[in-house]
Amino acid sequence: MKAIDDVVEYFSRLPGIGKKTAIRLAYFLLSHDEKLAQGLANSLQHLHECISTCPICGSYSEGEYCNFCDNTSRDKSIICVVERQQELLNFSELLEYRGLFHVLGGVISPLDGIGPEQLSIPALIKRVQTGEVKEVIIATNPTVEGDTTALYLQKILKEFPITITRLASGIPVGGDLEYADKLTLARSLRGRITF
């Protein structure tokens, strides 16, 4: 049936959802009240209409600025640099960190055709140039690409009078910050070292 096949095909494109899970989701939606499927469709349609990117840090926002950049109680002298929005969410739930964030939008990966110019590095430099920032925490994943990106950031930021730190060990090498538990993230933040 083409209608089910179409839904399965779209669900299969989502990360972590294989064909069997996509089929299960399609049949679940078909067997339940139509309001559930309609609500899902409406919320997906409004997702791109309502959510934009914060012009300061690159985080997602429903207003002009994100909840972090717009929050006057956060420490504006510290910026935690993450690869993607998902890592930002993990750090934002920690009581140990009250600073701001910067989302790079990925990592340097020449094999994938991603260089520094594809990342939001110029926006980070602009933020550091204001003189308000005293520390930049580089919180890229402990992978080859994450380490390459961290080294690149360290090289271009060392000309500024700031402290550059990298997350301490505790995050497994080759691991992904998106899946790290809060205790590991908290320990990594407390044990960060000068880079």
Side-chain angles (χ1 to χ4, degrees):
M1 291 180 271
K2 184 170 178 4
I4 292 175
D5 291 342
D6 288 346
V7 171
V8 167
E9 211 254 284
Y10 276 104
F11 276 138
S12 296
R13 292 183 187 179
L14 299 174
I17 297 183
K19 186 164 182 166
K20 285 185 179 183
T21 302
I23 291 169
R24 189 169 36 252
L25 290 171
Y27 279 101
F28 175 84
L29 289 172
L30 189 60
S31 66
H32 281 73
D33 187 0
E34 189 177 331
K35 289 180 184 177
L36 177 64
Q38 190 60 48
L40 176 62
N42 288 339
S43 63
L44 289 172
Q45 182 178 355
H46 289 104
L47 187 64
H48 284 282
E49 294 170 3
C50 297
I51 305 294
S52 61
T53 303
C54 177
I56 297 173
C57 72
S59 175
Y60 292 133
S61 172
E62 285 188 283
E64 184 178 358
Y65 300 107
C66 72
N67 293 337
F68 305 108
C69 292
D70 215 19
N71 186 339
T72 56
S73 69
R74 295 197 78 90
D75 185 350
K76 297 187 182 324
S77 70
I78 304 173
I79 297 176
C80 181
V81 180
V82 296
E83 295 176 18
R84 299 178 310 264
Q85 176 74 27
Q86 294 89 324
E87 288 101 14
L88 183 151
L89 295 175
N90 282 343
F91 281 107
S92 70
E93 294 175 358
L94 296 175
L95 297 176
E96 287 87 349
Y97 185 71
R98 298 296 306 152
L100 296 176
F101 295 97
H102 190 84
V103 180
L104 291 173
V107 287
I108 297 170
S109 178
L111 293 176
D112 297 321
I114 301 171
E117 56 281 350
Q118 277 83 38
L119 305 178
S120 66
I121 295 172
L124 175 62
I125 293 169
K126 185 177 176 182
R127 294 176 75 184
V128 171
Q129 286 174 332
T130 66
E132 195 173 3
V133 177
K134 304 297 179 222
E135 180 183 3
V136 172
I137 302 168
I138 301 174
T140 54
N141 286 308
T143 60
V144 172
E145 295 84 3
D147 289 343
T148 301
T149 304
L151 287 170
Y152 181 82
L153 290 174
Q154 187 264 343
K155 181 181 174 187
I156 64 169
L157 292 175
K158 70 180 177 184
E159 69 182 69
F160 297 100
I162 60 171
T163 302
I164 302 166
T165 57
R166 179 95 161 104
L167 288 184
S169 61
I171 308 290
V173 174
D176 196 356
L177 291 173
E178 181 179 348
Y179 302 109
D181 64 288
K182 289 175 183 48
L183 179 61
T184 301
L185 285 176
R187 286 181 181 164
S188 297
L189 269 173
R190 281 193 303 271
R192 65 185 183 268
I193 56 173
T194 302
F195 190 58

